[in-house]
Amino acid sequence: MRKFKAIVRYQMADILFSMSVFFIVFAVCFGLGWAIIAFAGEGGTPFKGMYLWMCVFLGLCGGISYSIDFKFALQCGVTRAQAYLSTALSFGVVALVFALVDQLLLAVLPLWGEQSIVALYGEGYGPGLLGFAWTLAFNLAIVFLSYALVVLHGRVGKAPFLLGLLAFGLLAFVLVPTVFQVVPGAADAAGAVLLPALGFTAQGIDLANPIVLFAVVAALSATAAYLLTRRAEVR
């Protein structure tokens, strides 16, 4: 247990330092962007979706943690389950902090409404408990899915993983669009399922649906990653 606590403290310190550096760079770029727009006046073009930067950080966090933190934890003598739990806790901290920062900026900085992803649903849908839950579930889905994909890559090998990605790309960008073009009503049927799942219902915006969707993706990805790390070869 002492080794496990030491690994948790190490990963927490490491992720907090990484987030600190990220937020400094993020704040500088955000400030410079709006300064340039203000200087340009009416000719400036507003930018949107800077929360995507946080999404990239979450993806990198999930991708790097297996190759560095998980293997380092095993070398320190903790079990695979403890190493995974420590990593999962660090993921939870990152997802929670980013969701809280998003809510804070929505509350104190009106300009952030054009940068937050959940706020893109429309005015009034970003701030509040539902907006926080949406962003937290979204963050967890990103970080655990990216982690599960990296662990899967390590488990099956490079060639099968790339073939799987190629097959998924062909399915998503070739076969499915072709089916939508050839089969009457296929696109409408898919939209009738996907749009409500993403929160766009006939009655209006419903954030509860995507919260459940993202939570399920995060839970399935976390479970898959745990099962894969139990037998993954560590090099």
Side-chain angles (χ1 to χ4, degrees):
M1 184 59 68
R2 183 179 302 175
K3 292 181 179 179
F4 172 67
K5 292 180 179 179
I7 287 298
V8 171
R9 287 195 298 268
Y10 166 78
Q11 284 196 273
M12 290 301 174
D14 182 60
I15 200 66
L16 290 175
F17 174 77
S18 299
M19 282 194 295
S20 300
V21 174
F22 170 80
F23 280 126
I24 291 173
V25 175
F26 182 85
V28 170
C29 292
F30 184 72
L32 286 175
W34 281 108
I36 292 172
I37 290 176
F39 180 78
E42 296 182 357
T45 302
F47 55 93
K48 298 182 179 182
M50 281 197 71
Y51 192 84
L52 292 175
W53 288 32
M54 298 187 189
C55 297
V56 172
F57 182 91
L58 288 164
L60 291 175
C61 180
I64 295 174
S65 291
Y66 175 69
S67 59
I68 298 178
D69 294 334
F70 182 79
K71 296 178 181 179
F72 174 74
L74 294 183
Q75 292 174 355
C76 292
V78 301
T79 65
R80 288 174 178 254
Q82 289 174 330
Y84 176 78
L85 178 58
S86 176
T87 300
L89 288 174
S90 69
F91 289 167
V93 169
V94 178
L96 179 62
V97 170
F98 279 5
L100 290 173
V101 168
D102 184 59
Q103 286 295 304
L104 177 63
L105 292 176
L106 283 172
V108 303
L109 191 63
L111 295 175
W112 185 251
E114 297 182 350
Q115 314 304 326
S116 173
I117 296 179
V118 66
L120 297 180
Y121 277 100
E123 186 177 355
Y125 287 102
L129 184 59
L130 279 178
F132 168 76
W134 189 100
T135 307
L136 177 61
F138 181 70
N139 293 346
L140 290 171
I142 292 176
V143 70
F144 276 109
L145 180 59
S146 61
Y147 185 75
L149 290 174
V150 171
V151 178
L152 179 63
H153 174 270
R155 181 69 185 274
V156 303
K158 183 177 181 179
F161 183 78
L162 292 178
L163 287 175
L165 288 180
L166 178 61
F168 177 79
L170 291 174
L171 176 66
F173 300 107
V174 178
L175 181 59
V176 171
T178 302
V179 171
F180 286 167
Q181 291 289 334
V182 174
V183 180
D188 293 335
V193 175
L194 292 177
L195 290 178
L198 293 175
F200 302 97
T201 68
Q203 293 74 32
I205 302 296
D206 185 358
L207 294 183
N209 291 349
I211 290 173
V212 173
L213 174 64
F214 297 147
V216 169
V217 171
L220 291 177
S221 299
T223 302
Y226 172 70
L227 295 175
L228 289 168
T229 54
R230 291 179 63 185
R231 297 183 178 276
E233 182 180 355
V234 178
R235 300 174 183 176

PDB file of all heavy atoms in Angstrom, residues 16-32:
ATOM      1  N   LEU A  16      -0.506  17.495 -12.342  1.00  0.00           N
ATOM      2  CA  LEU A  16      -0.763  18.878 -11.939  1.00  0.00           C
ATOM      3  C   LEU A  16       0.276  19.824 -12.536  1.00  0.00           C
ATOM      4  O   LEU A  16      -0.055  20.940 -12.957  1.00  0.00           O
ATOM      5  CB  LEU A  16      -0.767  18.996 -10.413  1.00  0.00           C
ATOM      6  CG  LEU A  16      -1.967  18.345  -9.710  1.00  0.00           C
ATOM      7  CD1 LEU A  16      -1.797  18.412  -8.193  1.00  0.00           C
ATOM      8  CD2 LEU A  16      -3.278  19.003 -10.128  1.00  0.00           C
ATOM      9  N   PHE A  17       1.529  19.377 -12.585  1.00  0.00           N
ATOM     10  CA  PHE A  17       2.565  20.199 -13.223  1.00  0.00           C
ATOM     11  C   PHE A  17       2.285  20.364 -14.713  1.00  0.00           C
ATOM     12  O   PHE A  17       2.394  21.471 -15.255  1.00  0.00           O
ATOM     13  CB  PHE A  17       3.937  19.558 -13.019  1.00  0.00           C
ATOM     14  CG  PHE A  17       5.041  20.258 -13.757  1.00  0.00           C
ATOM     15  CD1 PHE A  17       5.577  21.447 -13.281  1.00  0.00           C
ATOM     16  CD2 PHE A  17       5.541  19.730 -14.950  1.00  0.00           C
ATOM     17  CE1 PHE A  17       6.584  22.104 -13.973  1.00  0.00           C
ATOM     18  CE2 PHE A  17       6.554  20.374 -15.645  1.00  0.00           C
ATOM     19  CZ  PHE A  17       7.084  21.567 -15.153  1.00  0.00           C
ATOM     20  N   SER A  18       1.904  19.272 -15.368  1.00  0.00           N
ATOM     21  CA  SER A  18       1.595  19.337 -16.802  1.00  0.00           C
ATOM     22  C   SER A  18       0.421  20.268 -17.068  1.00  0.00           C
ATOM     23  O   SER A  18       0.434  21.055 -18.024  1.00  0.00           O
ATOM     24  CB  SER A  18       1.293  17.938 -17.339  1.00  0.00           C
ATOM     25  OG  SER A  18       2.398  17.076 -17.180  1.00  0.00           O
ATOM     26  N   MET A  19      -0.608  20.193 -16.220  1.00  0.00           N
ATOM     27  CA  MET A  19      -1.759  21.068 -16.393  1.00  0.00           C
ATOM     28  C   MET A  19      -1.382  22.530 -16.165  1.00  0.00           C
ATOM     29  O   MET A  19      -1.893  23.422 -16.848  1.00  0.00           O
ATOM     30  CB  MET A  19      -2.890  20.658 -15.447  1.00  0.00           C
ATOM     31  CG  MET A  19      -3.665  19.451 -15.916  1.00  0.00           C
ATOM     32  SD  MET A  19      -5.232  19.245 -15.009  1.00  0.00           S
ATOM     33  CE  MET A  19      -4.609  18.910 -13.356  1.00  0.00           C
ATOM     34  N   SER A  20      -0.495  22.779 -15.206  1.00  0.00           N
ATOM     35  CA  SER A  20      -0.061  24.148 -14.939  1.00  0.00           C
ATOM     36  C   SER A  20       0.626  24.750 -16.158  1.00  0.00           C
ATOM     37  O   SER A  20       0.342  25.883 -16.560  1.00  0.00           O
ATOM     38  CB  SER A  20       0.882  24.181 -13.732  1.00  0.00           C
ATOM     39  OG  SER A  20       0.237  23.694 -12.569  1.00  0.00           O
ATOM     40  N   VAL A  21       1.514  23.972 -16.767  1.00  0.00           N
ATOM     41  CA  VAL A  21       2.196  24.435 -17.977  1.00  0.00           C
ATOM     42  C   VAL A  21       1.186  24.661 -19.097  1.00  0.00           C
ATOM     43  O   VAL A  21       1.237  25.663 -19.819  1.00  0.00           O
ATOM     44  CB  VAL A  21       3.274  23.422 -18.410  1.00  0.00           C
ATOM     45  CG1 VAL A  21       3.886  23.831 -19.750  1.00  0.00           C
ATOM     46  CG2 VAL A  21       4.355  23.293 -17.342  1.00  0.00           C
ATOM     47  N   PHE A  22       0.255  23.723 -19.232  1.00  0.00           N
ATOM     48  CA  PHE A  22      -0.760  23.847 -20.277  1.00  0.00           C
ATOM     49  C   PHE A  22      -1.584  25.117 -20.102  1.00  0.00           C
ATOM     50  O   PHE A  22      -1.833  25.856 -21.062  1.00  0.00           O
ATOM     51  CB  PHE A  22      -1.681  22.624 -20.258  1.00  0.00           C
ATOM     52  CG  PHE A  22      -2.900  22.771 -21.126  1.00  0.00           C
ATOM     53  CD1 PHE A  22      -2.821  22.572 -22.498  1.00  0.00           C
ATOM     54  CD2 PHE A  22      -4.127  23.133 -20.573  1.00  0.00           C
ATOM     55  CE1 PHE A  22      -3.946  22.722 -23.306  1.00  0.00           C
ATOM     56  CE2 PHE A  22      -5.246  23.284 -21.379  1.00  0.00           C
ATOM     57  CZ  PHE A  22      -5.149  23.075 -22.733  1.00  0.00           C
ATOM     58  N   PHE A  23      -2.031  25.389 -18.877  1.00  0.00           N
ATOM     59  CA  PHE A  23      -2.878  26.555 -18.636  1.00  0.00           C
ATOM     60  C   PHE A  23      -2.123  27.865 -18.865  1.00  0.00           C
ATOM     61  O   PHE A  23      -2.710  28.857 -19.317  1.00  0.00           O
ATOM     62  CB  PHE A  23      -3.448  26.518 -17.226  1.00  0.00           C
ATOM     63  CG  PHE A  23      -4.641  25.606 -17.080  1.00  0.00           C
ATOM     64  CD1 PHE A  23      -4.658  24.619 -16.109  1.00  0.00           C
ATOM     65  CD2 PHE A  23      -5.725  25.737 -17.922  1.00  0.00           C
ATOM     66  CE1 PHE A  23      -5.752  23.775 -15.979  1.00  0.00           C
ATOM     67  CE2 PHE A  23      -6.832  24.897 -17.798  1.00  0.00           C
ATOM     68  CZ  PHE A  23      -6.839  23.913 -16.828  1.00  0.00           C
ATOM     69  N   ILE A  24      -0.831  27.882 -18.567  1.00  0.00           N
ATOM     70  CA  ILE A  24      -0.038  29.086 -18.828  1.00  0.00           C
ATOM     71  C   ILE A  24       0.027  29.350 -20.333  1.00  0.00           C
ATOM     72  O   ILE A  24      -0.229  30.464 -20.805  1.00  0.00           O
ATOM     73  CB  ILE A  24       1.379  28.939 -18.245  1.00  0.00           C
ATOM     74  CG1 ILE A  24       1.321  28.941 -16.712  1.00  0.00           C
ATOM     75  CG2 ILE A  24       2.288  30.069 -18.735  1.00  0.00           C
ATOM     76  CD1 ILE A  24       2.646  28.645 -16.048  1.00  0.00           C
ATOM     77  N   VAL A  25       0.352  28.310 -21.098  1.00  0.00           N
ATOM     78  CA  VAL A  25       0.414  28.451 -22.561  1.00  0.00           C
ATOM     79  C   VAL A  25      -0.957  28.800 -23.119  1.00  0.00           C
ATOM     80  O   VAL A  25      -1.100  29.664 -23.999  1.00  0.00           O
ATOM     81  CB  VAL A  25       0.952  27.150 -23.195  1.00  0.00           C
ATOM     82  CG1 VAL A  25       0.899  27.240 -24.721  1.00  0.00           C
ATOM     83  CG2 VAL A  25       2.372  26.863 -22.721  1.00  0.00           C
ATOM     84  N   PHE A  26      -1.984  28.139 -22.586  1.00  0.00           N
ATOM     85  CA  PHE A  26      -3.351  28.371 -23.058  1.00  0.00           C
ATOM     86  C   PHE A  26      -3.774  29.808 -22.807  1.00  0.00           C
ATOM     87  O   PHE A  26      -4.350  30.470 -23.685  1.00  0.00           O
ATOM     88  CB  PHE A  26      -4.293  27.407 -22.338  1.00  0.00           C
ATOM     89  CG  PHE A  26      -5.727  27.505 -22.768  1.00  0.00           C
ATOM     90  CD1 PHE A  26      -6.174  26.810 -23.878  1.00  0.00           C
ATOM     91  CD2 PHE A  26      -6.630  28.296 -22.071  1.00  0.00           C
ATOM     92  CE1 PHE A  26      -7.498  26.892 -24.284  1.00  0.00           C
ATOM     93  CE2 PHE A  26      -7.949  28.386 -22.462  1.00  0.00           C
ATOM     94  CZ  PHE A  26      -8.373  27.679 -23.570  1.00  0.00           C
ATOM     95  N   ALA A  27      -3.493  30.325 -21.607  1.00  0.00           N
ATOM     96  CA  ALA A  27      -3.884  31.697 -21.264  1.00  0.00           C
ATOM     97  C   ALA A  27      -3.163  32.712 -22.141  1.00  0.00           C
ATOM     98  O   ALA A  27      -3.766  33.695 -22.595  1.00  0.00           O
ATOM     99  CB  ALA A  27      -3.586  31.956 -19.789  1.00  0.00           C
ATOM    100  N   VAL A  28      -1.878  32.454 -22.401  1.00  0.00           N
ATOM    101  CA  VAL A  28      -1.118  33.373 -23.245  1.00  0.00           C
ATOM    102  C   VAL A  28      -1.675  33.388 -24.665  1.00  0.00           C
ATOM    103  O   VAL A  28      -1.893  34.463 -25.252  1.00  0.00           O
ATOM    104  CB  VAL A  28       0.371  32.979 -23.258  1.00  0.00           C
ATOM    105  CG1 VAL A  28       1.128  33.778 -24.318  1.00  0.00           C
ATOM    106  CG2 VAL A  28       0.994  33.211 -21.885  1.00  0.00           C
ATOM    107  N   CYS A  29      -1.937  32.225 -25.222  1.00  0.00           N
ATOM    108  CA  CYS A  29      -2.467  32.152 -26.589  1.00  0.00           C
ATOM    109  C   CYS A  29      -3.868  32.745 -26.670  1.00  0.00           C
ATOM    110  O   CYS A  29      -4.202  33.452 -27.636  1.00  0.00           O
ATOM    111  CB  CYS A  29      -2.488  30.695 -27.058  1.00  0.00           C
ATOM    112  SG  CYS A  29      -0.858  29.969 -27.293  1.00  0.00           S
ATOM    113  N   PHE A  30      -4.697  32.490 -25.657  1.00  0.00           N
ATOM    114  CA  PHE A  30      -6.057  33.031 -25.639  1.00  0.00           C
ATOM    115  C   PHE A  30      -6.019  34.557 -25.566  1.00  0.00           C
ATOM    116  O   PHE A  30      -6.740  35.253 -26.293  1.00  0.00           O
ATOM    117  CB  PHE A  30      -6.820  32.458 -24.447  1.00  0.00           C
ATOM    118  CG  PHE A  30      -8.256  32.882 -24.385  1.00  0.00           C
ATOM    119  CD1 PHE A  30      -9.189  32.386 -25.280  1.00  0.00           C
ATOM    120  CD2 PHE A  30      -8.691  33.782 -23.418  1.00  0.00           C
ATOM    121  CE1 PHE A  30     -10.520  32.772 -25.221  1.00  0.00           C
ATOM    122  CE2 PHE A  30     -10.014  34.179 -23.347  1.00  0.00           C
ATOM    123  CZ  PHE A  30     -10.931  33.666 -24.249  1.00  0.00           C
ATOM    124  N   GLY A  31      -5.151  35.084 -24.690  1.00  0.00           N
ATOM    125  CA  GLY A  31      -5.029  36.534 -24.563  1.00  0.00           C
ATOM    126  C   GLY A  31      -4.484  37.184 -25.819  1.00  0.00           C
ATOM    127  O   GLY A  31      -4.993  38.221 -26.265  1.00  0.00           O
ATOM    128  N   LEU A  32      -3.477  36.560 -26.424  1.00  0.00           N
ATOM    129  CA  LEU A  32      -2.908  37.112 -27.650  1.00  0.00           C
ATOM    130  C   LEU A  32      -3.921  37.097 -28.788  1.00  0.00           C
ATOM    131  O   LEU A  32      -3.993  38.029 -29.594  1.00  0.00           O
ATOM    132  CB  LEU A  32      -1.655  36.327 -28.055  1.00  0.00           C
ATOM    133  CG  LEU A  32      -0.394  36.568 -27.224  1.00  0.00           C
ATOM    134  CD1 LEU A  32       0.721  35.634 -27.678  1.00  0.00           C
ATOM    135  CD2 LEU A  32       0.052  38.034 -27.354  1.00  0.00           C
TER     136      LEU A  32
END
